Amino acid sequence: MSVGFSAGRDGGVTIALDAGEAAILRSLVSQVLGLVEPGATGQDPLERALGIGAAEEPSDPVLARLFPSAYADDEKASAEFRRYTEATLREGKRADAETLLETAEQGDIRLTQEQGQAWLRALNDVRLALGVRLEVTEDIHEELADMAEDDPRYPAYVTYDWLTYLQDTLVRALW
């Protein structure tokens, strides 16, 4: 298993991944990339140019977690905020995922500061998506410690824990 990220001399970060780790990262990020397809915009050319889209909150719990309501107590304000920001947020999440997909490979990986931050955001999106699907709570470490290795959820929980570790080492290496 990877020893996580370390700080580079030039402000970037490095990590060594084996073939399996690179494949898992690429697979999970590809799945999230499929979820955050480009946001739909209105038919008006100005709306399309400005990225003004739909105001409805996503019905998929993962998308609702990735694109939460900005104003929990004000549906109208939240819908208006979503209308003006979600398409751009989707583009950013897609760009981060694509950066990870372009750079995640077996062996030693050197990332610039900007690429490292894109990885950080992409890893966060994967963890949020997986956390929603697994119904992760703050007790995940206790659950994992008590979980039998033949439990069908075990591989997914271990993967979530590994992603948490990667994210933690990346934060430490970047700052």
Side-chain angles (χ1 to χ4, degrees):
M1 183 169 103
S2 164
V3 295
F5 286 89
S6 59
R9 294 185 186 125
D10 58 356
V13 294
T14 61
I15 189 169
L17 297 175
D18 66 30
E21 291 169 330
I24 289 169
L25 282 174
R26 294 177 61 76
S27 174
L28 291 170
V29 169
S30 293
Q31 291 176 48
V32 170
L33 185 60
L35 283 173
V36 294
E37 59 195 16
T41 58
Q43 295 302 317
D44 182 88
L46 182 59
E47 285 184 2
R48 278 186 278 156
L50 295 175
I52 299 172
E56 298 85 33
E57 185 173 344
S59 59
D60 181 335
V62 170
L63 289 175
R65 182 70 175 107
L66 292 173
F67 303 103
S69 293
Y71 304 98
D73 298 335
D74 189 339
E75 283 185 38
K76 185 176 178 181
S78 191
E80 194 68 6
F81 184 81
R82 179 178 305 282
R83 183 170 177 247
Y84 289 102
T85 61
E86 189 171 312
T88 304
L89 290 172
R90 284 176 181 269
E91 288 174 24
K93 289 182 183 302
R94 291 182 61 75
D96 293 337
E98 289 168 357
T99 296
L100 190 145
L101 290 173
E102 291 167 1
T103 55
E105 56 190 31
Q106 177 183 356
D108 293 333
I109 302 169
R110 296 185 188 286
L111 302 173
T112 65
Q113 176 88 12
E114 294 78 20
Q115 289 171 321
Q117 290 184 16
W119 269 61
L120 186 60
R121 292 185 297 266
L123 287 172
N124 189 60
D125 289 343
V126 170
R127 284 186 64 248
L128 288 172
L130 190 55
V132 168
R133 294 290 190 236
L134 296 175
E135 299 178 350
V136 168
T137 67
E138 292 180 11
D139 300 326
I140 184 172
H141 295 294
E142 292 81 16
E143 290 178 47
L144 188 54
D146 295 338
M147 192 178 290
E149 289 186 18
D150 62 348
D151 186 311
R153 301 171 301 157
Y154 186 77
Y157 273 75
V158 169
T159 301
Y160 181 87
D161 194 48
W162 175 65
L163 291 168
T164 302
Y165 167 75
L166 287 182
Q167 189 176 28
D168 178 62
T169 63
L170 181 51
V171 166
R172 292 173 192 271
L174 285 170
W175 287 279

